[in-house]
Amino acid sequence: MSEHLAPAGRVVLAGTPIGNPEDAPPRLAAALATADVIAAEDTRRLRRLCAALGVVPTGRVVSSHEHNEGARGADLVEAAAQGATVLVVTDAGMPTVSDPGYRVVVAAAEAGVRVTTLPGPSAVLAALAVSGLATDRFCFEGFLPRKAGERASALAELARERRTMVFFEAPHRLAVSLEAMGEAFGADRPAAVCRELTKTHEEVRRGPLAELAAWAGELAKIGEVTVVVGGAPESAADPQRALAEVLERVAAGERLKEAVADVAAATGWAGATCTRRRSQPAADHPPLTARR
């Protein structure tokens, strides 16, 4: 069924405050009060938000989270197809952005049911705005994989990304993720860690990845975290220039392996390796092979 033939019902994706309830737009309060069905990631948090806004929902409230969204989505779309206004909310921010909602949107689109949005606060844009890093071009990468190998692979693919990158991270994994980013992007890559945005204890810490990783190791493992990382610097990707920098760092006393790793990450020659002939001292010119 094409969308223009669909009944008057609709699915509304509503952004909710990322911390401070006072950031809720008036339209959200009205939608919570009048929607026929409210699909919430956590119904308890929804009740607390409604209480903070002075709203009493008149519609049916159901849970819709990552574990039941597939099955629940069909019911929500059917309700909208029959003419109901179905409001989809998550614990914080916009549904579908590292939160439930995507499956509902796909099912609604396939059924020809109208999907619209009620915009609200965004941790991605808020963190990007206060990061002090370039905002003209950016990409959102969500949560990194939890397993070390998968996380390293994901970051290796981003080593040459020129756009500013935005990540979500759990507070207890923050230090480990920042360390992994430093290994993949270079310890000196500029970044910003934004904690508890819009809340009483909001904090934004800016600096190179290595410094932020050390700082994060001392933090209490609480709070919502968004990490913004500067994109890869422009590089001519000249292997001779990379070789010269490696030699300079080795001559200054740095270990060959570490020098190669840092230069490779900084220049985009992520696969660069250095070897030394046994007959040559470390200060000689070791051959550099780079593969892109």
Side-chain angles (χ1 to χ4, degrees):
M1 178 170 55
S2 62
E3 186 166 328
H4 70 278
L5 296 178
R10 58 181 181 163
V11 172
V12 181
L13 306 175
T16 54
I18 61 176
N20 191 332
E22 295 181 4
D23 292 335
R27 286 182 60 205
L28 175 60
L32 289 169
T34 60
D36 300 300
V37 181
I38 302 176
E41 182 179 6
D42 186 326
T43 57
R44 292 167 300 180
R45 293 196 181 190
L46 172 67
R47 299 291 184 189
R48 289 198 291 269
L49 175 62
C50 288
L53 300 179
V55 172
V56 177
T58 57
R60 180 165 55 99
V61 176
V62 300
S63 65
S64 180
H65 46 73
E66 62 176 328
H67 302 297
N68 73 350
E69 186 184 6
R72 180 74 74 188
D75 296 335
L76 297 175
V77 171
E78 177 61 24
Q82 296 301 317
T85 294
V86 177
L87 186 69
V88 178
V89 296
T90 62
D91 293 343
M94 179 60 66
T96 78
V97 181
S98 286
D99 271 326
Y102 171 75
R103 293 185 181 91
V104 176
V105 173
V106 171
E110 291 177 349
V113 170
R114 181 187 175 197
V115 180
T116 186
T117 183
L118 196 165
S122 165
V124 175
L125 296 181
L128 184 69
V130 302
S131 69
L133 298 170
T135 61
D136 55 334
R137 298 179 68 235
F138 68 93
C139 58
F140 174 61
E141 295 296 327
F143 287 92
L144 288 170
R146 296 184 181 184
K147 295 182 178 180
E150 295 176 1
R151 181 170 55 239
S153 296
L155 291 171
E157 292 180 2
L158 294 170
R160 298 183 65 188
E161 174 59 64
R162 296 289 305 282
R163 296 171 294 181
T164 299
M165 296 168 282
V166 184
F167 301 86
F168 285 162
E169 192 50 278
H172 62 279
R173 293 196 298 268
L174 178 60
V176 171
S177 291
L178 290 170
E179 290 173 2
M181 289 178 185
E183 294 173 0
F185 304 154
D188 294 332
R189 183 76 70 88
V193 175
C194 307
R195 304 172 63 233
E196 299 289 82
L197 287 170
T198 77
K199 299 180 182 179
T200 302
H201 300 293
E202 175 179 296
E203 182 177 15
V204 179
R205 183 89 172 201
R206 306 175 185 87
L209 283 169
E211 178 183 303
L212 292 175
W215 164 77
E218 305 299 322
L219 287 175
K221 305 302 186 287
I222 58 174
E224 302 294 333
V225 179
T226 305
V227 180
V228 186
V229 183
E234 185 173 2
S235 171
D238 182 352
Q240 295 305 314
R241 183 178 301 174
L243 170 60
E245 183 173 347
V246 168
L247 294 175
E248 181 179 343
R249 295 172 68 152
V250 170
E254 187 171 349
R255 291 181 59 188
L256 180 62
K257 181 178 180 180
E258 282 73 15
V260 171
D262 282 350
V263 171
T267 61
W269 290 86
T273 59
C274 281
T275 59
R276 185 175 72 247
R277 296 194 187 100
R278 293 180 181 177
S279 59
Q280 290 180 317
D284 284 351
H285 292 264
L288 175 79
T289 60
R291 51 189 186 277
R292 303 176 71 176

